[in-house]
Amino acid sequence: AFLNKGLEIRFRDERPDVLVHPASMTSVAISEQISAGRLAVGIVRGTVDGSERVATVPLARVPVDHVSVPLGHRLASAEVVEAGDLEGEPVLVVDRADAPYAHDAIVRYTSGLDVHPRWVTHGATQIERVFDMVAIGSGIGWLNTWQAEREAARTDVAIRPLTPVGMWDEFRVAWRQGDTRLATAACVRVVLETCGA
């Protein structure tokens, strides 16, 4: 999927001859689809399995430095959420089978700080569904800087800074190893120029 509408528009302006089908999928699914030749370019988090078939270039390293909290929760009124405040709290964590990179990063972060949340495991989903889970009180969700900035005006959850910062979403642009199509190269270039940090 394109990270934003502006990126999609820029690529379509540059390559109107190429049919674009934006899709939202997990990084695991993106890697599998690229390996199988069913997807030309994707943006993934973390490392890629099957790296002999999938080429990647770093795109951005974005801190996971916010949490989303249900409105009625005691932490909704906190100015800043300390990691220790998550002790014993219901905290969302993506199922490892769906998103091993994100799952391991979250568990490693809390374990490294000797914090033991009450994990609420969920399937990999888009951030909008995570906000839905938080809004109905299922648990506290994790947000990177981009997500927190984009969703700052939400009224159904409280978005609070998290300290200490100890996790990062590491995004990479990925394509099939050996793909020499000009459209693929153009898409990778546009992604890097538009979204690279």
Side-chain angles (χ1 to χ4, degrees):
F2 282 97
L3 287 178
N4 61 49
K5 198 68 173 167
L7 174 59
E8 182 180 348
I9 291 167
R10 179 169 169 206
F11 181 73
R12 285 180 194 226
D13 285 348
E14 187 169 316
R15 291 299 308 256
D17 58 312
V18 176
L19 187 59
V20 176
H21 293 285
S24 297
M25 342 176 173
T26 66
S27 294
V28 170
I30 290 169
S31 298
E32 290 171 354
Q33 294 293 312
I34 289 172
S35 289
R38 291 188 292 269
L39 182 66
V41 177
I43 297 171
V44 298
R45 280 188 175 131
T47 59
V48 175
D49 289 336
S51 56
E52 68 281 350
R53 293 181 309 277
V54 179
T56 67
V57 171
L59 180 60
R61 186 172 192 249
V62 184
V64 177
D65 57 358
H66 285 75
V67 290
S68 55
V69 182
L71 291 179
H73 192 280
R74 67 179 179 83
L75 295 175
S77 60
E79 199 168 309
V80 174
V81 173
E82 300 277 342
D85 295 336
L86 301 176
E87 180 71 35
E89 293 291 342
V91 175
L92 301 176
V93 63
V94 65
D95 189 303
R96 191 174 193 287
D98 290 343
Y101 172 82
H103 177 94
D104 291 352
I106 291 167
V107 171
R108 195 169 37 252
Y109 171 76
T110 56
S111 297
L113 295 169
D114 199 28
V115 175
H116 307 92
R118 186 165 36 93
W119 295 120
V120 178
T121 304
H122 63 90
T125 185
Q126 298 304 304
I127 191 64
E128 292 78 16
R129 299 299 71 78
V130 172
F131 279 120
D132 291 345
M133 287 184 276
V134 172
I136 64 170
S138 297
I140 296 168
W142 307 94
L143 300 174
N144 65 41
T145 298
W146 288 349
Q147 294 162 333
E149 289 173 357
R150 187 179 69 226
E151 303 293 340
R154 289 188 80 100
T155 58
D156 58 341
V157 300
I159 297 175
R160 297 293 178 258
L162 173 69
T163 188
V165 175
M167 286 189 289
W168 289 263
D169 278 339
E170 298 192 18
F171 295 96
R172 302 178 75 79
V173 61
W175 66 96
R176 188 177 171 112
Q177 193 75 259
D179 184 345
T180 58
R181 293 176 293 178
L182 295 177
T184 300
C187 186
V188 169
R189 183 180 44 73
V190 168
V191 169
L192 289 170
E193 289 174 357
T194 307
C195 301

